[in-house]
Amino acid sequence: MSEDEARKHDITECPALDTPTENCENRMISSALFIPPVSLLFCTVTLLLVPSLANLLWSAEPAELKAPKPPWATTIAQDATGTRAILTVGDQTQVMRLIPAGSFEMGSTTGSRDDEMPQHSVEITRPFWLGDSEVTLGLWFAMMGNHTNEKTDNPRLPIEAISWNACQEFFQRMNARVTGLNAGLPTEAQWEYACRAGTKGSHAGDINEMAWHQQNSDGKTHPVRLKQMNAWGLYDMHGNVAELCADWYAPYSPARQCDPPGPPTGTHIVIRGGDCQDVPKLCRSASRGFTYRDYARRGYGFRIAIPSTP
């Protein structure tokens, strides 16, 4: 093969055209962009069946916020699980998740204890903010200083060995320090509603993926946010530390309720979620516990709740 023939062999030529040479490039581009009808049909059907892909390809606009920025929040944003805001105290931050209003069946029809029954309808009429994690040692120290019952300096561990009374002092200091804040403990109904996040089973998902419990925790708490979150962006609602609620403990009523605050008086406080030394059965969404207001023991912690309006 001659040198000229070899050069021709290496060059990809356009088909012969009656138009000027520069149209050859245009034709190459048109050919490259041509999509056969079958392929075009496949792409169209795919985008129709996969809306998230269509949104990714066709929309570069940020998601619309579903709530105004609260006065206590440093930032607010929308993501795949909803609206989140950042609460800042000193050098510590807490992600707060906006829990939507809605209704659910509270309790259990086949509970391991009678106090989970009767299962009854509850309506949460107003959205509220809930910490995406349990309060950590870092956040506790930023607000309260040293905690003598703790022997670790890992700021990402959940605070534990906390009494209900100590929580009230924490909230008093935080509310006085952060402008526009009215934080407190969630009610028992708010807690279970947020824990379930729209689910109806024993747990909000795979308990081994979502919780530190007796069978996978090595008998100790672990840093927050390491396990799988629930559908509303909340971590460790099952296991790690059991969480104190605002309510006095009492038997359930079968009547439908709206925003139940719990009984006006009592002798014990509700605690929920189970801890790292509990079996999965005690970490269920409906499982209840109780303690005294002034009693602090390892495995007791809490998370922050904030009304969506002042």
Side-chain angles (χ1 to χ4, degrees):
M1 181 182 296
S2 68
E3 184 177 345
D4 289 341
E5 289 174 334
R7 188 178 296 112
K8 288 180 181 179
H9 182 75
D10 290 338
I11 296 174
T12 302
E13 296 184 355
C14 290
L17 296 172
D18 295 329
T19 53
T21 306
E22 55 266 27
N23 285 345
C24 177
E25 295 180 1
N26 295 336
R27 183 157 178 180
M28 289 179 67
I29 294 172
S30 299
S31 298
L33 294 177
F34 174 71
I35 302 175
V38 174
S39 299
L40 182 60
L41 177 61
F42 174 80
C43 292
T44 302
V45 171
T46 300
L47 290 176
L48 288 174
L49 293 177
V50 189
S52 59
L53 179 59
N55 290 338
L56 179 64
L57 293 175
W58 293 332
S59 176
E61 295 296 323
E64 181 181 355
L65 291 175
K66 296 182 179 179
K69 181 174 175 288
W72 48 263
T74 51
T75 62
I76 186 171
Q78 191 82 9
D79 60 23
T81 57
T83 303
R84 69 179 188 275
I86 304 298
L87 170 64
T88 302
V89 178
D91 63 350
Q92 296 293 308
T93 59
Q94 173 67 63
V95 175
M96 302 298 299
R97 286 285 179 182
L98 185 62
I99 308 302
S103 59
F104 74 111
E105 295 301 307
M106 186 171 180
S108 172
T109 57
T110 58
S112 61
R113 296 183 1 166
D114 290 343
D115 65 352
E116 297 174 19
M117 299 179 281
Q119 191 176 65
H120 55 288
S121 297
V122 171
E123 183 177 0
I124 303 297
T125 63
R126 296 181 298 275
F128 62 97
W129 297 92
L130 192 65
D132 80 327
S133 72
E134 296 144 341
V135 170
T136 61
L137 282 168
L139 184 56
W140 179 271
F141 290 162
M143 198 71 260
M144 304 293 287
N146 290 335
H147 177 43
T148 56
N149 289 337
E150 281 300 331
K151 305 299 182 184
T152 178
D153 58 359
N154 186 339
R156 295 187 60 239
L157 283 171
I159 188 70
E160 58 175 323
I162 293 296
S163 71
W164 189 93
N165 287 340
C167 290
Q168 305 313 305
E169 184 179 355
F170 172 89
F171 288 124
Q172 287 173 7
R173 293 190 186 188
M174 179 177 281
N175 291 337
R177 182 169 173 177
V178 180
T179 301
L181 186 63
N182 183 25
L185 292 170
T187 66
E188 184 179 18
Q190 287 176 329
W191 190 96
E192 185 172 330
Y193 176 63
C195 177
R196 290 186 179 279
T199 64
K200 297 180 180 180
S202 297
H203 304 94
D206 185 329
I207 187 62
N208 294 313
E209 296 296 325
M210 300 187 80
W212 295 110
H213 54 78
Q214 186 190 72
Q215 297 168 13
N216 66 7
S217 69
D218 196 27
K220 61 185 180 182
T221 58
H222 292 259
V224 299
R225 303 188 185 95
L226 292 183
K227 286 291 188 177
Q228 186 182 91
M229 64 184 176
N230 72 11
W232 290 348
L234 304 173
Y235 297 89
D236 301 309
M237 293 295 284
H238 302 292
N240 216 15
V241 293
E243 300 180 16
L244 293 156
C245 294
D247 310 28
W248 289 110
Y249 172 84
Y252 285 153
S253 164
R256 178 180 175 84
Q257 300 178 55
C258 290
D259 302 315
T265 60
T267 57
H268 295 84
I269 292 298
V270 174
I271 193 161
R272 286 301 209 107
D275 65 38
C276 61
Q277 298 188 31
D278 283 329
V279 295
K281 188 174 184 179
L282 296 179
C283 299
R284 291 173 299 110
S285 301
S287 184
R288 308 177 75 198
F290 55 87
T291 186
Y292 292 106
R293 280 188 168 193
D294 59 355
Y295 183 58
R297 74 177 273 277
R298 283 198 172 274
Y300 285 5
F302 69 106
R303 74 178 66 213
I304 299 169
I306 307 171
S308 60
T309 54

